[in-house]
Amino acid sequence: MVNIEFNGTKMQVEKGSTILEAANKIGVHIPTLCHLNLEGFGIVNQVASCRVCVVEVEGRPTLVPSCAEKVYEGMVIHSDSFRAMNGRRMAVKLLLSNHPKDCLSCPKNLECELQALAQELGIREIPWEGERLDYEKDNSSFSLVKDPNKCVMCRRCETMCNEVQTCNILSAVNRGFESFVGPAFNMDMADSSCTFCGQCVAVCPTAALTEVDNTRHVWNALANPEKHVVVQIAPAVRVAIGEMFDMAPGSITTGKIATALRRMGFDGVFDTDFSADLTIMEEATELIHRIQHNGTLPMLTSCCPAWVKFFEHQFPDLLDIPSTCKSPQIMFGAIAKTYYAEKKNLDPQNITVVSIMPCLAKKAESKRPELTKDENSNVDIVITTREFGRMMKSAGIDFPNLEDSDFDKLMGESTGASVIFGTTGGVIEAATRTAYEWITGEELENVDFVQLRGLEGIREATVTIGDMDLHIGIAHGLGNARKLLDEIRAGKSKFHAIEIMACPGGCIGGGGQPYHHGDMNIIRERQKAIYEEDKGKKRRKSHENEEIIKLYEEFLGEPYGQKAHDLLHTHYEAREKI
């Protein structure tokens, strides 16, 4: 420990702590911008580039950035001196002097951290008018938009992309005044090896990186009398959307979501949990088939499109390892435009499938050419949790006070196994519940495989199924996925099955969820709620879903059969690593 004095208060802090950490210890607020503590990954963005957090240290000729400056014995710090406050205001004014003034129409209006800093520091005018950046927006991808003119060089996206996700897409482009963060040579995002996980968007403090806004396409579809518009809602959305309406993180809003969607005018209101159960029917069967027929092991889950694109770019030699199952989102669309269309006597061409997802990669996934049927996309429009929240607000829907209602029948029933798809470890736990009963022929009394749960980046567990020990690996965050894939490539993997999700915490921490600003407590509350909803379900195993049973009896035949394979399975392709 070292002794320091902070704003007149004598205190002891651990040696090696930063001034910012010392301030937090005694409840002193110091504004920050480039700083980001990714607690769950043990990574802190400490580039100290913005100078918004500067403080005065006695004996030092210049102000120092509190996020990166370490304390030492006898240090005397002033964060409330005129010099320190003026330094912070000057830093923000300089950032604003080269920032576009389109706040009213900006995608991050009222959610922009730079805007919030200007408000907090009482900045009402910028005394300088000078040259501004004038780059074109990058609208090349289906998932995200890059606007270099709004980049403040905080490097938070770079830290997330390179250190956490290990995709290494983003870095500084150009130097000095002309600099911003983007792909090498400022190539289009669509041409890079970006996985579109959206974690860069999740941490960007301004609108330099935002999701592609598809809300107008949804409104247009709803207004078209010739279109039968159905919607599906992903499991992770129900435990996060409430945050956009000042509800506590982890508030379970399943019934309110169904009510809101009907008020918005959707013709069919369904739950992606239904197709998550369908995914387990196919995935568990595929795993059992591989084990019993000496197939390729380990089998890796394939429901995360950012993870799929990651291994296509980074590990093209391992394309035979992931499951061939489409994601629950795409399976839903495939069934909606075949089975549902047949039951409702509808022309598939007149059905518009809308997905509400916690993920930006789902937008790009829906446009993959192989995920079509007779040139008809399985899913037509994808919006994020944030976009859904904005749509409800624009419609004047009082979300917290809505009554609960159920999803529509035919494709609306779900089990607890499908709910837990929303969190890391949930997919493999759901598969294990079904695989256990199918392999042993015995009823599984305790469905809670707690050894598969948690938020550690890489986890492993052994589940005994009859006379077999099933070795399971779990990773969330693409950097952790890389470690497991390197082991597979080296022939050192000991697992039968591995679940991988691209985002921290899985879908609950998706790039399209309400901004959590690196607060892992929010992720924990969302995860807790996922397991609460699972526990409250009448049925908790995917193969017990009566609508799924009926789907196979009336339409698909048997799991992993020919028709199921044609509609519910896909293939992957090697992509260039740039």
Side-chain angles (χ1 to χ4, degrees):
M1 304 294 288
V2 295
N3 298 288
I4 66 171
E5 183 178 314
F6 204 127
N7 291 348
T9 299
K10 289 182 169 55
M11 59 184 295
Q12 282 191 330
V13 294
E14 187 175 345
K15 185 178 181 180
S17 300
T18 63
I19 294 175
L20 183 61
E21 289 168 340
N24 291 336
K25 185 176 180 181
I26 60 173
V28 172
H29 170 66
I30 299 176
T32 63
L33 185 62
C34 67
H35 177 78
L36 182 69
N37 185 358
L38 298 167
E39 169 204 341
F41 291 89
I43 292 173
V44 180
N45 191 49
Q46 287 181 314
V47 298
S49 61
C50 70
R51 284 352 219 200
V52 168
C53 69
V54 291
V55 297
E56 185 176 2
V57 175
E58 289 189 9
R60 300 284 288 273
T62 60
L63 298 172
V64 301
S66 61
C67 69
E69 189 74 18
K70 301 289 176 56
V71 297
Y72 53 80
E73 181 68 29
M75 189 181 228
V76 180
I77 307 158
H78 301 282
S79 67
D80 56 0
S81 68
F82 176 79
R83 186 181 174 209
M85 290 188 290
N86 193 51
R88 294 195 287 269
R89 284 171 55 84
M90 181 66 72
V92 174
K93 285 181 179 181
L94 287 169
L95 287 170
L96 291 171
S97 70
N98 181 37
H99 203 76
K101 296 180 179 179
D102 60 347
C103 292
L104 291 177
S105 58
C106 178
K108 288 291 285 285
N109 186 27
L110 300 184
E111 292 182 306
C112 171
E113 293 180 42
L114 182 59
Q115 184 184 52
L117 277 171
Q119 167 69 15
E120 177 185 341
L121 300 179
I123 297 172
R124 294 292 180 266
E125 59 183 54
I126 309 300
W128 312 286
E129 284 291 340
E131 188 177 351
R132 292 176 179 272
L133 295 180
D134 187 23
Y135 292 106
E136 288 188 12
K137 282 186 182 180
D138 179 358
N139 293 300
S140 61
S141 87
F142 294 111
S143 292
L144 57 85
V145 177
K146 178 172 65 67
D147 186 351
N149 304 308
K150 294 186 177 181
C151 179
V152 293
M153 291 300 290
C154 68
R155 317 294 279 268
R156 281 157 58 158
C157 61
E158 190 177 342
T159 296
M160 179 59 81
C161 184
N162 300 343
E163 295 188 43
V164 176
Q165 302 294 65
T166 67
C167 295
N168 297 303
I169 307 302
L170 300 175
S171 61
V173 179
N174 299 332
R175 300 185 68 178
F177 178 78
E178 301 291 335
S179 63
F180 62 90
V181 174
F185 312 112
N186 195 26
M187 71 172 64
D188 288 344
M189 293 296 291
D191 295 332
S192 73
S193 301
C194 178
T195 67
F196 305 120
C197 69
Q199 286 304 305
C200 57
V201 175
V203 300
C204 178
T206 65
L209 290 161
T210 55
E211 68 263 35
V212 171
D213 189 342
N214 286 334
T215 56
R216 63 185 176 88
H217 300 302
V218 179
W219 288 126
N220 289 341
L222 290 171
N224 187 344
E226 296 182 1
K227 290 295 183 181
H228 182 89
V229 187
V230 300
V231 63
Q232 60 171 320
I233 187 91
V237 175
R238 71 204 66 206
V239 297
I241 185 65
E243 295 165 33
M244 296 191 68
F245 296 86
D246 298 322
M247 299 172 72
S251 296
I252 301 173
T253 59
T254 311
K256 296 182 189 301
I257 289 172
T259 302
L261 292 170
R262 287 194 180 90
R263 290 196 180 182
M264 292 167 68
F266 287 97
D267 299 302
V269 177
F270 299 111
D271 195 346
T272 311
D273 285 5
F274 167 84
S275 48
D277 279 333
L278 181 59
T279 301
I280 290 303
M281 297 291 284
E282 294 298 314
E283 203 162 71
T285 306
E286 183 180 3
L287 176 60
I288 293 170
H289 186 272
R290 289 198 192 188
I291 291 172
Q292 293 178 343
H293 295 83
N294 297 316
T296 303
L297 293 174
M299 188 182 86
L300 278 62
T301 58
S302 57
C303 56
C304 172
W307 146 238
V308 167
K309 198 161 184 291
F310 177 80
F311 72 69
E312 287 181 324
H313 283 293
Q314 307 282 342
F315 294 86
D317 53 318
L318 301 179
L319 296 187
D320 61 330
I321 293 178
S323 164
T324 60
C325 289
K326 294 178 178 179
S327 72
Q329 168 189 235
I330 303 299
M331 282 194 183
F332 176 91
I335 297 301
K337 294 193 176 184
T338 52
Y339 175 68
Y340 177 81
E342 184 180 294
K343 287 288 185 180
K344 294 291 185 179
N345 195 27
L346 295 168
D347 183 348
Q349 296 290 336
N350 294 331
I351 297 176
T352 298
V353 176
V354 176
S355 298
I356 303 175
M357 296 284 135
C359 172
L360 270 63
K362 293 289 185 184
K363 293 174 180 280
E365 179 190 36
S366 70
K367 303 302 181 183
R368 288 177 67 119
E370 69 271 20
L371 299 179
T372 61
K373 178 67 175 175
D374 301 326
E375 298 184 356
N376 192 19
S377 293
N378 292 164
V379 172
D380 300 287
I381 309 170
V382 180
I383 61 172
T384 63
T385 310
R386 292 192 295 267
E387 289 171 90
F388 176 41
R390 293 197 296 268
M391 288 184 72
M392 284 195 285
K393 289 180 178 181
S394 68
I397 293 175
D398 184 11
F399 184 72
N401 294 311
L402 290 178
E403 70 279 7
D404 290 348
S405 64
D406 294 326
F407 292 104
D408 292 339
K409 298 301 180 184
L410 192 65
M411 296 172 61
E413 183 181 339
S414 61
T415 69
S418 60
V419 173
I420 59 177
F421 262 63
T423 182
T424 171
V427 177
I428 203 69
E429 180 175 348
T432 303
R433 293 177 186 181
T434 290
Y436 182 95
E437 292 200 355
W438 282 357
I439 291 174
T440 65
E442 301 172 359
E443 182 177 356
L444 178 64
E445 296 292 340
N446 181 12
V447 301
D448 294 315
F449 290 95
V450 294
Q451 64 269 45
L452 302 177
R453 302 179 181 181
L455 281 173
E456 297 82 11
I458 297 177
R459 307 189 298 283
E460 58 181 80
T462 299
V463 176
T464 301
I465 300 179
D467 57 0
M468 173 188 175
D469 286 337
L470 187 68
H471 299 294
I472 296 172
I474 299 167
H476 60 117
L478 292 174
N480 291 320
R482 182 182 294 278
K483 295 174 184 176
L484 294 184
L485 285 166
D486 283 338
E487 289 184 0
I488 295 171
R489 180 179 273 170
K492 297 179 180 179
S493 178
K494 58 187 175 184
F495 300 115
H496 294 96
I498 299 175
E499 178 202 291
I500 294 179
M501 291 190 179
C503 296
C507 297
I508 52 175
Q513 293 278 63
Y515 298 111
H516 56 75
H517 304 289
D519 186 350
M520 289 300 290
N521 287 324
I522 293 176
I523 302 296
R524 292 187 185 98
E525 289 302 314
R526 293 174 184 172
Q527 185 182 68
K528 180 181 175 183
I530 286 284
Y531 288 122
E532 285 178 7
E533 175 133 328
D534 165 37
K535 192 170 290 186
K537 285 282 191 178
K538 180 181 178 181
R539 297 182 178 88
R540 299 181 63 191
K541 305 162 195 168
S542 295
H543 57 283
E544 295 177 344
N545 185 323
E546 292 185 348
E547 289 184 359
I548 292 290
I549 295 171
K550 189 175 181 181
L551 172 65
Y552 277 99
E553 290 176 347
E554 296 182 350
F555 187 70
L556 288 175
E558 61 179 1
Y560 211 53
Q562 186 59 52
K563 191 167 188 178
H565 202 275
D566 289 344
L567 285 175
L568 307 179
H569 291 254
T570 185
H571 64 274
Y572 311 110
E573 62 179 75
R575 299 178 187 270
E576 187 178 4
K577 180 181 176 181
I578 302 176

